[in-house]
Coordinates of all heavy atoms in Angstrom, one line a residue:
K99 N 95.5 62.9 149.5 CA 94.3 62.6 148.5 C 93.0 63.3 149.0 O 92.2 63.7 148.1 CB 94.2 61.2 148.2 CG 95.5 60.5 147.7 CD 95.2 59.3 146.9 CE 96.5 58.6 146.5 NZ 97.3 59.4 145.4
V138 N 86.3 53.3 144.7 CA 87.8 53.4 144.8 C 88.2 53.9 146.2 O 87.5 54.8 146.7 CB 88.4 54.4 143.8 CG1 89.8 54.5 143.9 CG2 88.0 53.9 142.3
K140 N 91.2 55.2 148.7 CA 92.6 55.7 148.7 C 93.0 56.0 150.1 O 92.3 56.8 150.7 CB 92.6 56.9 147.7 CG 92.1 56.7 146.4 CD 92.2 58.0 145.6 CE 91.9 57.6 144.1 NZ 92.0 58.8 143.2
G147 N 102.6 54.4 146.2 CA 101.8 53.9 145.1 C 100.9 52.7 145.5 O 100.1 52.2 144.8
V150 N 96.0 52.8 146.8 CA 94.8 52.9 146.0 C 94.3 51.5 145.6 O 94.9 50.7 145.1 CB 95.0 53.7 144.8 CG1 93.7 53.7 143.9 CG2 95.5 55.1 145.1
V152 N 91.0 49.9 143.5 CA 89.7 50.0 142.8 C 89.0 48.7 143.1 O 89.5 47.5 142.7 CB 90.0 50.1 141.2 CG1 88.6 50.2 140.4 CG2 90.8 51.3 140.9
E182 N 85.7 56.9 146.8 CA 85.1 57.8 145.7 C 84.6 56.9 144.6 O 84.9 55.7 144.6 CB 86.2 58.7 145.2 CG 87.4 58.0 144.5 CD 88.4 59.1 143.9 OE1 88.8 59.9 144.7 OE2 88.7 58.9 142.7
E183 N 84.0 57.5 143.6 CA 83.3 56.8 142.5 C 84.4 56.3 141.6 O 85.4 56.8 141.4 CB 82.6 57.9 141.7 CG 81.9 57.4 140.4 CD 81.5 58.6 139.5 OE1 81.9 59.7 139.8 OE2 80.8 58.3 138.5
G184 N 84.2 55.0 141.1 CA 85.1 54.5 140.2 C 84.7 54.8 138.8 O 83.6 54.8 138.4
L185 N 85.8 55.4 138.1 CA 85.6 55.9 136.7 C 86.1 54.9 135.7 O 87.0 54.1 136.1 CB 86.2 57.2 136.6 CG 85.8 58.3 137.4 CD1 86.7 59.6 137.3 CD2 84.4 58.7 137.2
E189 N 93.3 56.2 130.4 CA 94.0 57.1 131.3 C 94.9 58.0 130.4 O 95.4 57.5 129.3 CB 94.7 56.5 132.3 CG 93.7 55.9 133.4 CD 94.6 55.3 134.6 OE1 95.4 56.0 135.1 OE2 94.1 54.3 135.1
K211 N 100.2 50.9 133.8 CA 100.5 50.6 135.2 C 100.5 49.1 135.4 O 101.0 48.6 136.4 CB 99.7 51.3 136.1 CG 99.8 52.8 136.2 CD 99.2 53.4 137.4 CE 99.6 54.9 137.7 NZ 99.0 55.8 136.7
N221 N 98.8 46.1 139.5 CA 99.4 47.5 139.3 C 100.9 47.5 139.7 O 101.3 46.9 140.7 CB 98.6 48.5 139.9 CG 97.6 49.3 139.0 OD1 97.6 49.0 137.8 ND2 96.7 50.0 139.7
M270 N 91.3 60.6 133.6 CA 90.6 59.5 132.9 C 89.6 60.2 131.9 O 88.9 61.1 132.2 CB 89.8 58.6 133.9 CG 89.5 57.3 133.3 SD 88.9 56.1 134.5 CE 90.4 55.3 134.9
L279 N 91.9 62.1 138.1 CA 92.0 60.9 139.0 C 92.8 61.3 140.2 O 92.6 60.9 141.3 CB 92.6 59.8 138.4 CG 91.9 59.0 137.3 CD1 92.7 57.9 136.7 CD2 90.6 58.5 137.7
E280 N 94.0 62.0 139.8 CA 94.9 62.3 140.9 C 95.8 63.5 140.4 O 96.0 63.8 139.1 CB 95.9 61.2 141.2 CG 96.4 60.6 139.9 CD 97.7 59.8 140.1 OE1 98.4 59.9 141.2 OE2 98.2 59.1 139.1
G444 N 91.5 50.2 134.1 CA 91.6 50.7 135.5 C 90.4 50.4 136.3 O 90.3 50.9 137.4
A450 N 97.8 49.4 143.6 CA 98.8 50.1 142.8 C 100.2 49.9 143.6 O 100.2 50.1 144.9 CB 98.6 51.5 142.6
K452 N 104.2 51.1 143.3 CA 105.3 51.7 142.6 C 106.6 51.1 143.0 O 106.7 50.5 144.0 CB 105.3 53.2 142.8 CG 104.1 53.9 142.2 CD 104.0 55.3 142.4 CE 102.7 55.9 142.0 NZ 102.5 57.3 142.1
Ligands
AMP501 P1 97.4 56.8 142.2 O1 98.1 55.9 143.2 O2 96.7 58.0 142.8 O3 98.3 57.2 141.1 O4 96.2 56.0 141.5 C1 96.6 54.8 140.9 C2 95.6 54.3 139.9 O5 94.4 54.0 140.5 C3 95.3 55.3 138.8 O6 96.3 55.4 137.8 C4 94.0 54.7 138.3 O7 94.3 53.6 137.4 C5 93.4 54.2 139.5 N1 92.3 55.1 140.0 C6 92.5 56.2 140.8 N2 91.4 56.8 141.0 C7 90.4 56.2 140.3 C8 89.0 56.3 140.0 N3 88.3 57.3 140.7 N4 88.4 55.5 139.3 C9 89.0 54.5 138.6 N5 90.4 54.2 138.8 C10 91.0 55.0 139.6

Side-chain angles (χ1 to χ4, degrees):
K99 298 205 187 286
V138 181
K140 301 182 172 180
V150 175
V152 183
E182 68 178 56
E183 177 194 9
L185 300 173
E189 289 186 39
K211 290 196 172 73
N221 261 347
M270 197 164 265
L279 295 178
E280 55 157 343
K452 295 185 186 175

